[in-house]
Amino acid sequence: MISDKLKIIFLVIFIVFFQGCKHNDSDSVSVVSGTISFDDAISVEVISRIEVMLVDYSIADASHIEIAKTTLTDINELPISYAVAYNDNEIKSANLYSISVDVYELNNQNTEVRTHTTMQSYPVLTQGFGAQADVLVQQIN
């Protein structure tokens, strides 16, 4: 099995390689990365998938706008490393961006159920925040 850190290295190499092969000079791909930790004891074997989203939450009292997303399915160790690739052209310096995470497990009926999520904001990219965020997901009651 490939470790999560090795997967991120491959993803970054892939992005850098294809960034050099792009046809439109105005398109530029960057990456937000970090780790995901849990507020409770959890076994990685029960996790069916994790969705990590880069979202724009600039508009107060409105749903966030998803800028980019990655899905992790081969989870081997905690904390879990992630990397989300996004198009630089979609980022506006005046807007607010955050990483949001949802964790899914299979229940007794073999159906995916969201069991953990981010309960706070993990700002990235603008307003003095960088392209790295370590997030804590909490169990949904």
Side-chain angles (χ1 to χ4, degrees), residues 36 50 52 57-58 62 68 84 86 90-91 99 102 113 127-128 130 135:
I36 303 164
I50 297 176
V52 183
Y57 66 99
S58 301
V84 179
Y86 65 92
E90 294 187 46
I91 305 302
I99 291 296
D102 289 324
V113 177
Q127 314 298 314
V135 302

Side-chain angles (χ1 to χ4, degrees), residues 75-131:
I75 292 97
N76 299 314
E77 62 187 10
L78 296 174
I80 299 160
S81 299
Y82 73 87
V84 179
Y86 65 92
N87 183 330
D88 286 332
N89 293 331
E90 294 187 46
I91 305 302
K92 296 171 181 45
S93 61
N95 288 9
L96 303 171
Y97 300 93
S98 180
I99 291 296
S100 179
V101 177
D102 289 324
V103 179
Y104 296 85
E105 297 177 14
L106 290 176
N107 65 13
N108 294 338
Q109 290 79 33
N110 210 29
T111 304
E112 277 192 329
V113 177
R114 187 173 69 133
T115 59
H116 293 77
T117 192
T118 44
M119 302 279 192
Q120 68 184 54
S121 176
Y122 292 93
V124 292
L125 302 179
T126 59
Q127 314 298 314
F129 294 98

Side-chain angles (χ1 to χ4, degrees), residues 35-83:
T35 61
I36 303 164
S37 298
F38 291 78
D39 73 337
D40 60 340
I42 186 170
S43 171
V44 293
E45 289 82 21
V46 301
I47 301 171
S48 60
R49 71 182 160 104
I50 297 176
E51 291 187 350
V52 183
M53 296 148 288
L54 172 62
V55 297
D56 180 341
Y57 66 99
S58 301
I59 301 171
D61 299 328
S63 294
H64 63 264
I65 299 168
E66 187 177 292
I67 303 298
K69 177 170 75 171
T70 191
T71 301
L72 308 173
T73 56
D74 190 18
I75 292 97
N76 299 314
E77 62 187 10
L78 296 174
I80 299 160
S81 299
Y82 73 87

